[in-house]
Amino acid sequence: MRIRQNEPASAWTCPQTVAMLDRYIIGQGEAKKAVAIALRNRWRRMQLPAEARREVVPNNLILIGPTGVGKTEIARRLSQLADLPFLKVEATKFTEKGYVGRDVDSMVRDLVEAAIALVRRRAEARHTEEIDAAVEAQLVDILFPPLAGVKDDPERQARWDRSREKIRAQLREGVLEDREVTVSSEQQRLPLANIFTSAGEEFDASIGESLRGMFPRQKTERRLPVARARKLLREQEADKRLDQDQVTAEAIELVENGGIIFLDEIDKIAGGRGHGGGGPDVSREGVQRDLLPIVEGSTVTTKYGPVRTDHVLFIAAGAFHMSKPSDLIPELQGRFPIRVELQSLDRADFVRILRDTENSLVRQYQSLLEVDGCRLTVTDDAMEELAGIAAELNRRLENIGARRLQTILAQLLDQVLYEVPETRRDDLAVDATFVRERLGAIVRDEDLTRYIL
């Protein structure tokens, strides 16, 4: 089966991309503009002739700004909108080659896994109706097995057909989701695989294929609720319709031409140059030197085959409180030509975050309480009060940006969340007075503020 790649959101113009990001992220116009240009350039490159395409490399970015201002959220939303393989990793998780821990090559392997899952989802989506029909037929057969000789008796055949249709209708209505059924599945265990791995590295793909030949797949029967059995049967039906080699080939191509790796906390591995000696500074510089060839463009061996990183887009981010971008080794600095500084958020930004963003914290709590029949309304003056408290606490304590809103709202509504629906069933209107009554004492008490908020 041929898997065609969808027309991604990377074909959007830069203003369209920024407009989509504006729905989820307040402010940070320069950062949104930079990532929109990077995304559009990936689409522009794919329109070039093959020879020119090879010469165009992505302009990697560094997003600089304090915690809670939207660095990670911009990259995450961009990947969701563009429908491209995306991986977020923390630079502090890596260790220099030769030491125990994760080597930097593992992030490319993880990106390939994400791409395979993405391509597979796209392919399954195009065959949803066909797969759902096959899974439904299997579940009906399991719940109401065929009877021998029923075709010779028209009356029995009619009764049997009616019973099957009732089962089918109940499956579609979700009535049978908790009933247990027996389903068959194939499993393959490779107990020797760990012998060929060390420090997170993967064994050669050919060895893996040899091991698969030594340990054939075994059929097992499992008792599962219908809801879980449906997922298992969907995977089996999808496997029958998908060419795994084709999925892998297209996933690798998608990684090489559209993959995005978000390197968070890159400031934590900066520093160490010119200090001499050993210790953590040398280890941080070692990680930088290991990152350099991947960011520059190299071939990483994965169990699915070699993957080139020449055109993978890298977006790094860090607060750079204790260091600065110039503390990175010069070679790595040169591979991140675009640097964008994100601004700290103020009271007006917090109001807009609560009021204007899609799936804001206020809307999330409204949805949660509505499940228990409690209708939550938050007035504009309450949002102003919450924003003022967040801005004041960020000024007095550590500035954690918009994350302060999550802490404050959790403290504001914890009693309501506890009481609904057991002892409280009425609707709740949150205004500025309610906010001051619930949070005033905590905000005024310096020691309590540090402990709770």
Side-chain angles (χ1 to χ4, degrees):
M1 181 184 67
R2 176 66 182 172
I3 303 173
R4 302 186 312 276
Q5 293 183 11
N6 296 355
E7 182 72 358
S10 52
W12 294 349
T13 64
C14 296
Q16 288 174 330
T17 301
V18 171
M20 290 297 295
L21 292 173
D22 283 341
R23 293 164 52 186
Y24 304 97
I25 302 156
I26 296 300
Q28 316 304 356
E30 289 300 314
K32 293 174 184 174
K33 179 180 175 182
V35 297
I37 292 171
L39 185 64
R40 180 68 179 181
N41 280 345
R42 297 179 84 65
W43 179 82
R44 288 168 176 152
R45 173 181 167 272
M46 295 308 295
Q47 313 311 309
L48 298 175
E51 289 187 9
R53 191 186 307 161
R54 283 194 294 269
E55 299 299 322
V56 179
V57 296
N59 287 329
N60 300 319
L61 300 88
I62 290 186
L63 305 180
I64 304 168
T67 184
V69 298
K71 301 186 298 294
T72 305
E73 188 68 7
I74 286 174
R76 187 174 72 88
R77 291 295 180 184
L78 182 72
S79 70
Q80 291 177 350
L81 297 174
D83 197 29
L84 292 171
F86 175 82
L87 180 72
K88 176 186 178 292
V89 293
E90 293 185 6
T92 52
K93 294 291 179 67
F94 300 121
T95 57
E96 187 177 356
K97 286 189 177 180
Y99 292 86
V100 175
R102 296 196 72 189
D103 65 89
V104 294
D105 290 355
S106 64
M107 65 183 176
V108 180
R109 301 189 187 106
D110 292 343
L111 185 63
V112 173
E113 296 288 353
I116 288 175
L118 175 62
V119 173
R120 185 182 174 92
R121 283 197 303 271
R122 290 178 181 177
E124 288 181 9
R126 289 192 291 273
H127 294 265
T128 297
E129 292 185 6
E130 183 182 344
I131 292 174
D132 286 346
V135 169
E136 185 180 78
Q138 286 194 60
L139 287 173
V140 171
D141 286 341
I142 294 171
L143 290 164
F144 200 79
L147 294 176
V150 70
K151 292 183 179 180
D152 299 332
D153 188 336
E155 187 176 341
R156 288 183 64 198
Q157 175 76 47
R159 287 199 304 269
W160 183 74
D161 288 341
R162 286 195 299 271
S163 298
R164 283 175 62 87
E165 288 306 313
K166 287 181 182 177
I167 294 292
R168 194 185 305 276
Q170 290 176 334
L171 283 172
R172 292 176 180 176
E173 293 168 3
V175 176
L176 304 176
E177 293 298 282
D178 295 328
R179 180 179 294 189
E180 287 198 344
V181 294
T182 302
V183 293
S184 299
S185 63
E186 289 187 347
Q187 292 182 333
Q188 186 177 40
R189 303 182 185 277
L190 301 181
L192 299 182
N194 291 334
I195 296 176
F196 299 94
T197 61
S198 63
E201 296 185 3
E202 299 184 10
F203 58 92
D204 187 83
S206 60
I207 298 177
E209 292 301 320
S210 301
L211 287 174
R212 287 187 178 88
M214 293 169 56
F215 298 93
R217 301 178 74 88
Q218 296 179 343
K219 263 197 171 183
T220 59
E221 289 192 343
R222 301 166 62 185
R223 292 283 296 175
L224 298 171
V226 167
R228 290 178 58 191
R230 183 182 285 107
K231 293 181 181 179
L232 179 62
L233 292 173
R234 276 190 63 84
E235 292 177 4
Q236 294 176 359
E237 290 297 323
D239 287 338
K240 294 176 184 177
R241 290 163 175 77
L242 298 183
D243 182 345
Q244 189 58 41
D245 292 337
Q246 182 66 37
V247 170
T248 301
E250 295 209 11
I252 290 176
E253 182 182 355
L254 194 59
V255 165
E256 293 180 336
N257 292 290
I260 302 173
I261 292 180
F262 182 76
L263 275 170
D264 205 4
E265 307 287 359
I266 197 170
D267 56 315
K268 302 300 189 297
I269 62 168
R273 292 190 294 120
H275 297 291
D281 287 341
V282 174
S283 178
R284 288 197 292 265
E285 184 172 337
V287 174
Q288 293 181 56
R289 295 198 177 279
D290 289 344
L291 278 171
L292 182 60
I294 295 180
V295 179
E296 283 182 330
S298 61
T299 301
V300 176
T301 301
T302 74
K303 65 182 180 182
Y304 302 104
V307 177
R308 296 285 306 174
T309 64
D310 301 67
H311 298 101
V312 173
L313 175 65
F314 290 87
I315 302 176
F320 288 97
H321 288 311
M322 309 297 294
S323 59
K324 49 189 181 297
S326 58
D327 289 330
L328 296 168
I329 61 175
E331 300 91 335
L332 193 59
Q333 290 182 48
R335 290 297 169 182
F336 288 88
I338 299 179
R339 299 178 187 178
V340 183
E341 187 167 351
L342 284 77
Q343 304 303 313
S344 295
L345 301 173
D346 58 20
R347 176 174 180 161
D349 293 324
F350 291 147
V351 172
R352 293 180 60 201
I353 289 170
L354 291 171
R355 185 186 62 210
D356 299 338
T357 56
E358 285 194 20
N359 303 318
S360 67
L361 283 172
V362 171
R363 291 189 176 93
Q364 290 176 33
Y365 278 111
Q366 286 173 334
S367 300
L368 288 172
L369 286 170
E370 194 172 341
V371 172
D372 283 322
C374 176
R375 185 170 178 270
L376 171 68
T377 56
V378 182
T379 62
D380 288 343
D381 64 339
M383 294 186 192
E384 291 279 354
E385 190 71 21
L386 288 167
I389 292 173
E392 175 64 17
L393 291 175
N394 279 344
R395 186 186 63 81
R396 283 163 43 187
L397 308 175
E398 289 291 330
N399 186 355
I400 60 173
R403 291 189 176 93
R404 184 73 67 185
L405 292 172
Q406 191 166 6
T407 307
I408 291 172
L409 275 169
Q411 187 66 28
L412 177 72
L413 298 172
D414 66 337
Q415 189 64 28
V416 178
L417 293 166
Y418 176 78
E419 292 174 351
V420 173
E422 189 70 23
T423 58
R424 184 189 183 111
R425 297 182 180 275
D426 56 327
D427 296 341
L428 173 65
V430 174
D431 56 14
T433 303
F434 181 91
V435 173
R436 285 191 289 268
E437 288 174 354
R438 293 283 294 133
L439 300 178
I442 298 175
V443 173
R444 285 192 298 272
D445 189 325
E446 187 76 19
D447 293 332
L448 202 57
T449 298
R450 290 181 180 275
Y451 181 71
I452 294 180
L453 299 178

